[in-house]
Amino acid sequence: MSQPLHTDRFEYAPGDQIQDEIAVFDDKDPLLRVENLSKHFPIYEGIIKRQVAAVRAVDDVSFTVPRGQTFGLVGESGSGKTTLGRSILRITDPTHGTVEVDGTDVTSLSGGALKKQRKDMQMVFQDPSSSLNPRKTIKQIIETPMKIHDIGSAGERAQRVEELLEMVDLPREFMYKYPSSLSGGQKQRVGIARAVAVNPKLVVLDEPTSALDVSVQARVIEILNDLQKRFDLTYIFISHDLSLIKNVSDRIGVLYLGRFVETGDVDSVFQDPQHPYTRALLSAIPTVTDEDRQYKPPELTLEGEIPDPREKPTGCAFRSRCPEAFEPCAEEEPAMYQTDSTRCSRCYLHDEAYQDTGGSDDQ
Amino acid sequence: MSNPLLEVKDLHVEFDTYDGTAQVINGIDLIVERGETVAIVGESGCGKSVTVKTILGLLPEADISQGEILYKGENLLELSDAKRHARRGKEMSMIMQNPMSAINPVFTVGEQMLDVLKWQGQHRVGITDWVRDKFRSEAELRERAIDMLEQVDISAPERVFESYPVELSGGMRQRVLIAIALLLEPDFLIADEPGTALDVTTEANILELLDDIVEEHDTSVLYITHDLGVAREISDQLNVMYAGEIVETAPTETLFEDPQHPYTRGLLESIPQLSRGIGAGIPGKLPDYTDPPTGCRFADRCPHAETECREVVPHLRRTEPEHAAACHLFEGDPHLDRHQDAVTEFPYIGPPPWQADTDETEVDVR
Ligand SMILES: Nc1ncnc2c1ncn2[C@@H]1O[C@H](COP(=O)(O)OP(=O)(O)OP(=O)(O)O)[C@@H](O)[C@H]1O
Ligand SMILES: Nc1ncnc2c1ncn2[C@@H]1O[C@H](COP(=O)(O)OP(=O)(O)OP(=O)(O)O)[C@@H](O)[C@H]1O
Ligand code: SF4
Ligand SMILES: [Mg+2]
Ligand SMILES: [Mg+2]
């Protein structure tokens, strides 16, 4: 079922600590390369607005995505998925780190160069209602990126809008409607049409089908797959629906309080999740059939809630909820460990030094 | 049947559009009993939000060409705006589908929650109220608000209380909205896709919270979702909606044991699964509301459609004592009184193929 994609590209010994997270997947010429990316939101207090703390929404995240692939981003509400997506696309300016898209360092761009680069990087926003200008018609909305980047004549653009609407299963009459007369799912599909209008290279899809029923969702996913194949698009796909993530992604990253706790090929992560948090997430997937149940790790319910990102626990950030937590977890944050050729996990259980102490889960 | 909290009868809602009149809601009937949770499921654009917004009177541009909305026996469509406004605040609460447009971006979450606790439901505030509110301690209300945020699984309620909506993640905003709607302990709660931005665990917790509130205050809930799994979890009665009509209605468990309408069955088959990938979905799309089909609105997409389906409207028929479906594959008496006379004209094209081959209720593969 799962075919390790990278088996002989590098050497590893299980349990190796990884110095350079990004080297694990040794992607030659990736479309997206994110290195040590952080986004901190300062918190001010008092009359003089002194900065007292920061929400570390994204904290030192590194990964690469090969051209034409889909990277699935999962994690609880508030774990930093949207902020990571927005920082990658420079919709918000990251606090630290670099992002390279197709060889261009987008974190150092500004002005006209950044504007030009934006054509290649589009986003489907999580809240479709607030991301569509209520005073513009659907045609004007979908056309906007084409206009900004000076693509096509008025006639060509109109035709493209028609094609795009058709593609997302909306009738062409919608061109002249305003967002207020669209249903939630219809607005979401307009957002998808707008994002792919200018043939971008990289698209961040933030919960792109959350308002769609399974039937329309299936078709929208098919269209996205189709576009990906035709134009070699690269996607970052954010969703809290893990069955969906499993079906659309090549590789996934699991975020917890702004940090990756596990990354790897989607099949191996789903078949044998390494990090206790990933296991907890997967064991909560509702399943309909017995076949599906085989995919689920044994029941593992999380105690407590995701901590306040202002006050991350010391040591392992997941420690306060982890059923496996043992001594070293309280001291220092664990590094990423490469657990096999296809993924890595941020947990002391993988450290050889503790194989005997904390190994209650070793299968 | 005795004394339902809400009864919608033969509701028709139309919009004037660029291409003519869109007949979006085409005669729907709904009953919500006291303390009951009723779900409406259906495809994007089928009219779920229009239905609930009409119930609350939030669609000034809509033309309600026919129908009645009886709330505690009173027809809401005949009330004055002021009276409806008052109802909306105190007795009925709604969780809107789009969190960002339902929260005011210029006030903090806390300000909005306190505002709701102090004023909501009081259209014009009298001097006595003003004096009373002056003395109700702010700290007490604040505590209540923070407690509610905690109940909707927000992990840093104090921070969120002080935050502006833009500083919150999508799922946090949605939960803030839920918290605000629950603050007033309404008699009737309408929730329009409240869980779209939430992961399963959080959504499950919120469903549980709703359950508790329903138990405790005997609240009735009308729950809109496109997710059949969620509908199954939360509801007592399930209505499947297609293109502005209710095509199947039954107690939730009955409906899952024996899905009857071809549309319901198509929806069930399209649920993505870990093992078998994303289904193909139901081919085709919703009909154009400005030019709807004359017969069954689902006929163009239905694998079992016959010529009769395109000619005669399939009204809801009672296929089992508590189960009704609007499809010519089934026999039965008209489910609604107003169709009593139409019964003789109903064609019957059944039995449904999935019942003919096996007596299993297994979902067929087209
Ligand atoms: N503009 C902002 N100012 C301050 N804090 C912010 C801002 N934007 C996001 N945050 C905080 O950053 C954290 C991560 O938010 P983010 O929107 O990235 O989460 P998410 O993973 O997308 O969650 P969800 O699944 O709910 O959408 C949250 O704690 C949020 O409150
Ligand atoms: N104000 C309006 N003017 C004209 N048409 C409208 C208006 N509001 C809704 N509609 C149309 O009515 C139909 C039903 O919309 P509604 O918002 O009820 O769908 P929904 O079932 O809630 O879908 P979703 O799951 O996508 O939110 C849609 O085709 C929509 O375009
Ligand atoms: S009435 Fe006919 S077209 Fe409509 S759902 Fe039933 S079989 Fe299909
Ligand atoms: Mg988000
Ligand atoms: Mg809706």
Side-chain angles (χ1 to χ4, degrees):
Chain A
M1 175 89 232
S2 95
Q3 294 209 334
L5 297 173
H6 319 279
T7 327
D8 36 40
R9 282 202 226 149
F10 55 90
E11 299 194 340
Y12 73 95
D16 267 2
Q17 254 195 47
I18 299 162
Q19 299 309 323
D20 183 6
E21 269 169 47
I22 212 162
V24 173
F25 297 104
D26 191 28
D27 294 314
K28 301 277 179 302
D29 183 28
L31 183 104
L32 174 69
R33 185 182 180 86
V34 174
E35 265 182 273
N36 308 106
L37 195 68
S38 299
K39 174 73 192 180
H40 298 174
F41 296 105
I43 298 170
Y44 302 101
E45 226 165 61
I47 325 164
I48 51 162
K49 296 284 170 206
R50 192 167 50 91
Q51 185 182 339
V52 289
V55 174
R56 287 150 71 178
V58 174
D59 202 11
D60 200 20
V61 166
S62 303
F63 66 108
T64 56
V65 189
R67 189 185 305 271
Q69 288 206 359
T70 300
F71 189 89
L73 209 50
V74 301
E76 273 162 296
S77 175
S79 57
K81 305 180 293 295
T82 300
T83 309
L84 177 55
R86 293 168 64 99
S87 310
I88 289 172
L89 300 186
R90 283 286 303 272
I91 293 168
T92 176
D93 282 328
T95 317
H96 307 288
T98 55
V99 176
E100 266 177 39
V101 175
D102 207 8
T104 311
D105 176 1
V106 298
T107 29
S108 65
L109 295 181
S110 59
L114 178 61
K115 184 186 151 200
K116 212 163 141 230
Q117 179 66 34
R118 289 199 189 281
K119 177 185 159 304
D120 291 339
M121 322 187 296
Q122 295 288 323
M123 179 141 186
V124 175
F125 293 92
Q126 183 171 12
D127 185 346
S129 306
S130 56
S131 68
L132 305 181
N133 185 335
R135 279 173 295 279
K136 294 232 162 102
T137 63
I138 301 307
K139 173 164 178 282
Q140 288 169 322
I141 289 171
I142 299 180
E143 211 178 28
T144 304
M146 292 189 256
K147 271 189 161 160
I148 292 175
H149 299 292
D150 226 357
I151 297 169
S153 64
E156 283 162 354
R157 286 199 299 263
Q159 182 166 2
R160 176 97 178 119
V161 171
E162 239 176 82
E163 280 169 27
L164 288 162
L165 281 176
E166 172 81 46
M167 210 182 73
V168 292
D169 254 357
L170 293 175
R172 52 177 300 236
E173 299 86 64
F174 271 50
M175 292 231 270
Y176 305 105
K177 292 194 175 199
Y178 288 87
S180 62
S181 68
L182 265 56
S183 79
Q186 289 166 344
K187 283 183 229 176
Q188 199 160 40
R189 284 175 278 165
V190 169
I192 294 175
R194 173 177 62 183
V196 300
V198 289
N199 292 325
K201 292 177 185 162
L202 173 69
V203 187
V204 174
L205 301 148
D206 194 356
E207 306 273 5
T209 59
S210 63
L212 304 178
D213 56 287
V214 283
S215 172
V216 176
Q217 167 174 287
R219 281 201 307 282
V220 168
I221 297 294
E222 203 179 295
I223 293 155
L224 288 172
N225 279 338
D226 214 52
L227 284 173
Q228 181 165 49
K229 284 204 200 89
R230 273 206 321 222
F231 302 108
D232 228 7
L233 295 188
T234 306
Y235 295 142
I236 293 186
F237 200 109
I238 301 174
S239 176
H240 60 265
D241 180 345
L242 293 165
S243 310
L244 180 62
I245 283 284
K246 163 140 195 319
N247 284 302
V248 298
S249 319
D250 297 292
R251 199 182 285 167
I252 67 168
V254 182
L255 270 180
Y256 189 77
L257 284 177
R259 302 274 271 163
F260 275 145
V261 294
E262 181 159 0
T263 55
D265 288 345
V266 69
D267 286 331
S268 40
V269 173
F270 270 77
Q271 247 164 25
D272 180 21
Q274 298 292 313
H275 197 280
Y277 178 61
T278 318
R279 272 189 274 146
L281 277 186
L282 296 189
S283 77
I285 303 178
T287 47
V288 197
T289 61
D290 289 342
E291 244 174 318
D292 267 14
R293 260 170 229 134
Q294 294 172 4
Y295 271 93
K296 292 213 314 185
E299 191 76 29
L300 203 169
T301 333
L302 288 184
E303 297 295 317
E305 293 150 7
I306 192 163
D308 184 345
R310 281 178 308 184
E311 293 149 20
K312 284 196 202 177
T314 52
C316 175
F318 185 53
R319 174 170 65 93
S320 57
R321 299 164 77 193
C322 183
E324 311 267 4
F326 60 119
E327 303 86 64
C329 308
E331 277 152 32
E332 211 180 310
E333 189 181 29
M336 272 287 195
Y337 292 88
Q338 189 168 355
T339 57
D340 67 31
S341 60
T342 57
R343 61 248 161 96
C344 31
S345 158
R346 188 186 298 284
C347 173
Y348 281 118
L349 288 172
H350 311 301
D351 195 312
E352 270 173 33
Y354 304 114
Q355 283 305 317
D356 311 322
T357 5
S360 61
D361 78 314
D362 265 19
Q363 300 110 336
Chain B
M1 290 280 147
S2 50
N3 183 17
L5 185 75
L6 177 83
E7 191 170 3
V8 174
K9 284 188 183 162
D10 199 18
L11 184 70
H12 289 251
V13 182
E14 299 178 349
F15 293 99
D16 264 335
T17 72
Y18 185 80
D19 329 275
T21 307
Q23 301 165 14
V24 174
I25 303 298
N26 189 32
I28 68 162
D29 295 71
L30 275 178
I31 290 182
V32 182
E33 302 282 350
R34 282 166 209 264
E36 188 186 48
T37 300
V38 174
I40 305 181
V41 296
E43 173 161 354
S44 169
C46 74
K48 304 180 294 293
S49 299
V50 168
T51 304
V52 295
K53 285 189 201 157
T54 308
I55 294 173
L56 286 180
L58 297 177
L59 276 179
E61 70 273 35
D63 173 16
I64 301 164
S65 53
Q66 207 174 316
E68 278 175 52
I69 300 172
L70 302 173
Y71 179 75
K72 295 185 176 166
E74 199 175 24
N75 189 356
L76 293 182
L77 296 175
E78 286 166 358
L79 291 185
S80 68
D81 281 354
K83 273 195 173 147
R84 281 194 92 170
H85 183 92
R87 281 278 136 65
R88 240 184 351 248
K90 248 206 174 97
E91 298 189 10
M92 305 176 161
S93 222
M94 171 149 176
I95 303 168
M96 298 275 236
Q97 187 172 10
N98 39 349
M100 216 29 195
S101 27
I103 316 183
N104 193 332
V106 301
F107 293 109
T108 64
V109 167
E111 285 164 344
Q112 295 184 59
M113 293 186 89
L114 292 180
D115 196 52
V116 166
L117 281 173
K118 283 187 203 153
W119 308 121
Q120 184 69 271
Q122 300 170 24
H123 192 48
R124 282 191 187 80
V125 181
I127 185 74
T128 39
D129 288 334
W130 185 82
V131 172
R132 192 197 64 210
D133 284 314
K134 211 59 198 149
F135 287 100
R136 202 149 36 141
S137 93
E138 182 105 358
E140 194 182 299
L141 295 181
R142 186 191 145 97
E143 198 175 305
R144 175 119 175 264
I146 288 180
D147 179 60
M148 192 47 93
L149 289 174
E150 212 168 340
Q151 284 199 49
V152 294
D153 257 12
I154 282 181
S155 59
E158 279 94 7
R159 169 170 77 101
V160 169
F161 187 86
E162 306 290 346
S163 297
Y164 288 93
V166 290
E167 298 172 341
L168 304 177
S169 79
M172 289 159 124
R173 270 177 222 152
Q174 207 162 39
R175 281 173 287 162
V176 164
L177 217 59
I178 295 171
I180 291 178
L182 296 180
L183 272 179
L184 290 170
E185 297 164 0
D187 292 345
F188 183 42
L189 176 69
I190 298 183
D192 191 358
E193 307 266 11
T196 47
L198 306 177
D199 53 277
V200 279
T201 326
T202 312
E203 181 156 18
N205 289 349
I206 291 198
L207 295 185
E208 231 165 79
L209 174 67
L210 273 181
D211 248 7
D212 288 350
I213 288 174
V214 167
E215 286 284 301
E216 220 171 289
H217 304 287
D218 208 24
T219 306
S220 307
V221 183
L222 184 58
Y223 199 98
I224 311 301
T225 174
H226 60 264
D227 186 331
L228 284 161
V230 169
R232 182 176 199 167
E233 197 86 354
I234 183 110
S235 65
D236 306 310
Q237 177 80 19
L238 188 56
N239 295 282
V240 180
M241 194 161 175
Y242 182 77
E245 293 171 350
I246 286 175
V247 297
E248 185 162 359
T249 176
T252 306
E253 272 320 301
T254 312
L255 197 134
F256 276 92
E257 272 159 29
D258 179 22
Q260 294 182 335
H261 197 282
Y263 175 66
T264 313
R265 299 177 68 85
L267 267 188
L268 283 168
E269 277 168 47
S270 318
I271 297 177
Q273 289 176 11
L274 289 171
S275 51
R276 86 165 180 219
I278 297 172
I282 305 166
K285 51 182 149 186
L286 282 172
D288 180 358
Y289 286 115
T290 54
D291 183 20
T294 38
C296 172
R297 285 190 169 190
F298 186 58
D300 280 344
R301 303 171 70 182
C302 179
H304 315 293
E306 301 284 346
T307 26
E308 291 92 325
C309 303
R310 293 176 210 282
E311 286 160 4
V312 186
V313 176
H315 294 301
L316 278 171
R317 299 183 213 194
R318 206 167 305 127
T319 53
E320 302 283 338
E322 289 190 288
H323 198 156
C327 169
H328 294 316
L329 288 170
F330 292 89
E331 288 176 298
D333 294 335
H335 181 59
L336 300 166
D337 291 342
R338 64 173 194 274
H339 298 138
Q340 286 311 340
D341 303 334
V343 66
T344 46
E345 299 152 30
F346 279 15
Y348 173 56
I349 62 165
W354 61 89
Q355 281 181 4
D357 312 340
T358 58
D359 43 0
E360 285 293 287
T361 50
E362 219 177 3
V363 176
D364 70 324
V365 181
R366 287 187 305 269

